[in-house]
Amino acid sequence: MKILQFYIQTFGCQMNENDSRLLHNLLLSSGYQATDQIENADIIIVNTCCVRQTAENRALGFIGSLKHIKESKPETVIVVCGCMTQQQGEAELLRKRAKHISIIIGTFAASRLPQYISLYQANGEPIVDVDENYENENLSNLPRGEKAPTLTFDFKAQVNIIYGCDNFCSYCIVPYVRGRERSRSAMEIEEEVRFLCQHGVKEVQLLGQNVNSYGKDLAEKTDFASLLRRLNDIEGLRRLRFMTSHPRDFSDNLIETIADLDKVCHQFHLPVQSGSDRILRLMNRGYDSAYYLSLLAKIRRIFPDAVITSDLLLGFPGETEEDFQQTLAFVMEAQLDAAYTFIYSPRSGTPAADMPLQIADSVKKERLQRLMDVQNPISLHLNRNLIGSRQEILVEGYSKHNPQYLCGRNYGNKIIVFPANSCPSVQAGDVAWVRVTGAQTWNLSGEICL
């Protein structure tokens, strides 16, 4: 009997990437085989994103391109899942516009994919499940025991600790497509991290829309700081990262806890979104620019080596030139290692989509370029400050841009590239020391310290 092969195409953020990894392992443990060649796939899975219009457009374009595959191979099972399908009315629109789709499932039904594939193959009837059924949402539970050898492991892994979001920022679709906050039990998370480390994982990144909210909804008395303490002692774990932190909830207790733990990296991603207090209020962010800057000062006082990155959203409804100038001034004062800049795109169902004074795309793009012109020199300056320093890196493999170089990341998650022939014994997954010899805006270059 032929073993069916599956192919997964992912759009969106780290949460989506991790969901795809979990789907990958779920299907492996159910007897399917992975392929990286879409033309060989019996099952094609499109994991979608709708946080920004560009990601949604890319996903829709890819889904449309699958029509010819279904026509030439009618037995192909085409699955569309992820945040886009969970939007109100989107599943019905997909059924009408893309009749070649076999299965449509939302963010709460992903764990039921193997049984839906079997059901579709049995009767050929399209399946749609976008119900918000929290009780059956167990995608994060990795197969154990005899099914574990079928899984694929890397030296780095991501682990969801909390799903959903309760913040309801006025521009954000996430609470509507991922649901309210739901924490996994600390014991379940610890078991997963321990299991991963037993299979060679050295670095784990904890994921959540707001990891700082972890534990608030649980009966057990716990919080994110307690979880970090619990995981820090796991044998085999070298590095522990987390993303994303809401600035409003980044407590003094959390800072003090991280200072006590040797495996938690001093890398902090704190999305600020705007430097204008007026825009922050319209966004419903729950803090002002002064609070954010004081938080940065507190972190840098405790962690002089801290690498701090942020998100900035340009062109929010009603954003004036004065508001934008305040953001530029904020960026100069904050001195962030990197800022991931995005153009606001209206998301149907969010308050901001119906706000007056929507900004023209041409203005958004012009402001985006001006913001990058301010931030990029800051990033370059901070990277240049590391020239001459010794950095411990976790080697990731050959550089995508030049196969004569290897690359790895330091504790601050900065990429460092170095000549592969300088130490032939070094390979992906190794921990090595490098001396930084050069700096660019987005990465560093170095040489192995022998």
Side-chain angles (χ1 to χ4, degrees):
M1 184 176 179
K2 177 187 176 184
I3 298 177
L4 299 181
Q5 299 186 80
F6 65 89
Y7 175 93
I8 303 178
Q9 180 69 42
T10 308
F11 298 90
C13 65
Q14 290 93 344
M15 296 285 284
N16 272 28
E17 290 173 1
N18 193 48
D19 284 350
S20 289
R21 178 184 69 88
L22 294 168
L23 281 171
H24 176 102
N25 284 334
L26 178 64
L27 292 174
L28 286 179
S29 67
S30 300
Y32 299 102
Q33 189 176 76
T35 178
D36 57 3
Q37 303 295 321
I38 193 170
E39 61 270 17
N40 296 334
D42 304 290
I43 303 159
I44 300 172
I45 302 162
V46 188
N47 191 1
T48 64
C49 175
C50 65
V51 172
R52 294 179 181 85
Q53 188 64 49
T54 51
E56 187 168 343
N57 289 343
R58 288 174 58 222
L60 289 170
F62 184 80
I63 292 167
S65 72
L66 300 178
K67 184 177 180 180
H68 76 279
I69 294 180
K70 186 69 172 178
E71 290 173 343
S72 61
K73 292 172 56 181
E75 70 277 10
T76 303
V77 181
I78 296 177
V79 181
V80 180
C81 61
C83 295
M84 191 176 79
T85 63
Q86 198 67 51
Q87 292 181 98
Q88 186 172 8
E90 187 64 32
E92 191 60 34
L93 281 175
L94 281 172
R95 287 188 63 189
K96 292 177 180 178
R97 295 175 181 174
K99 297 185 183 299
H100 57 285
I101 298 175
S102 313
I103 301 169
I104 299 173
I105 53 176
T107 56
F108 303 94
S111 61
R112 298 192 283 277
L113 180 57
Q115 67 192 67
Y116 284 152
I117 291 173
S118 297
L119 182 60
Y120 177 80
Q121 290 175 323
N123 60 31
E125 293 294 324
I127 296 170
V128 177
D129 183 356
V130 292
D131 290 341
E132 296 186 6
N133 188 347
Y134 294 179
E135 293 180 2
N136 293 321
E137 183 192 21
N138 57 0
L139 185 57
S140 285
N141 295 329
L142 286 172
R144 301 287 199 269
E146 63 181 17
K147 293 184 177 180
T150 67
L151 306 186
T152 56
F153 294 93
D154 200 350
F155 54 88
K156 296 171 65 175
Q158 296 172 317
V159 173
N160 283 92
I161 66 169
I162 182 172
Y163 295 98
C165 185
D166 285 355
N167 287 304
F168 288 92
C169 299
S170 61
Y171 55 84
C172 187
I173 194 70
V174 168
Y176 306 97
V177 296
R178 288 277 183 178
R180 303 299 294 269
E181 290 176 350
R182 306 170 312 283
S183 302
R184 297 173 64 197
S185 76
M187 180 177 294
E188 182 181 309
I189 295 168
E190 181 183 357
E191 287 177 352
E192 181 172 350
V193 174
R194 194 177 299 280
F195 176 76
L196 290 167
C197 292
Q198 289 169 353
H199 287 79
V201 171
K202 296 179 180 179
E203 177 179 303
V204 170
Q205 183 180 50
L206 306 178
L207 295 180
Q209 300 298 336
N210 179 16
V211 293
N212 306 118
S213 293
Y214 174 78
K216 291 180 180 179
D217 58 316
L218 294 176
E220 60 180 306
K221 188 177 181 181
T222 188
D223 59 12
F224 185 51
S226 299
L227 180 66
L228 289 178
R229 287 189 181 279
R230 187 167 183 159
L231 301 180
N232 190 76
D233 295 331
I234 292 178
E235 185 177 353
L237 181 66
R238 291 290 298 260
R239 293 180 177 180
L240 191 58
R241 303 187 191 276
F242 53 88
M243 182 179 284
T244 295
S245 292
H246 196 296
R248 182 191 58 212
D249 302 319
F250 206 92
S251 67
D252 290 349
N253 178 50
L254 179 58
I255 294 174
E256 293 164 4
T257 297
I258 294 172
D260 288 341
L261 304 178
D262 62 332
K263 296 178 183 178
V264 180
C265 297
H266 300 166
Q267 173 212 354
F268 307 96
H269 185 69
L270 296 163
V272 64
Q273 306 302 358
S274 177
S276 162
D277 291 343
R278 188 181 74 87
I279 295 298
L280 287 172
R281 286 192 296 272
L282 290 173
M283 289 178 168
N284 192 35
R285 290 294 290 172
Y287 55 82
D288 58 20
S289 58
Y291 167 84
Y292 188 96
L293 291 169
S294 68
L295 177 60
L296 295 192
K298 190 183 302 181
I299 292 173
R300 285 167 172 156
R301 186 167 59 251
I302 303 298
F303 309 105
D305 63 339
V307 172
I308 303 176
T309 58
S310 191
D311 293 341
L312 285 160
L313 187 61
L314 277 297
F316 187 83
E319 182 187 66
T320 64
E321 176 62 24
E322 181 181 355
D323 292 318
F324 178 66
Q325 287 293 334
Q326 290 173 6
T327 294
L328 293 180
F330 172 87
V331 168
M332 287 295 296
E333 186 170 358
Q335 293 289 295
L336 301 163
D337 285 85
Y340 303 97
T341 53
F342 305 96
I343 288 176
Y344 168 76
S345 58
R347 302 286 76 201
S348 179
T350 63
D354 297 323
M355 287 181 178
L357 303 175
Q358 298 285 330
I359 308 298
D361 287 344
S362 59
V363 175
K364 295 177 186 177
K365 292 177 182 177
E366 187 264 346
R367 287 178 181 172
L368 178 65
Q369 185 58 55
R370 288 162 63 193
L371 179 60
M372 292 170 62
D373 289 343
V374 171
Q375 176 59 47
N376 287 351
I378 295 172
S379 299
L380 179 60
H381 171 73
L382 293 175
N383 280 348
R384 283 176 173 168
N385 286 344
L386 295 176
I387 293 176
S389 67
R390 294 176 75 250
Q391 301 283 325
E392 184 185 273
I393 63 169
L394 184 58
V395 181
E396 295 188 344
Y398 288 98
S399 168
K400 295 178 181 178
H401 306 291
N402 189 336
Q404 294 183 341
Y405 285 79
L406 288 166
C407 66
R409 293 177 188 264
N410 67 1
Y411 270 91
N413 210 36
K414 294 193 176 188
I415 298 173
I416 305 178
V417 297
F418 58 95
N421 60 9
S422 62
C423 191
S425 62
V426 173
Q427 58 186 349
D430 288 347
V431 174
W433 283 91
V434 297
R435 178 172 287 104
V436 179
T437 58
Q440 295 78 42
T441 303
W442 301 108
N443 57 50
L444 303 164
S445 53
E447 56 186 18
I448 285 286
C449 297
L450 299 176

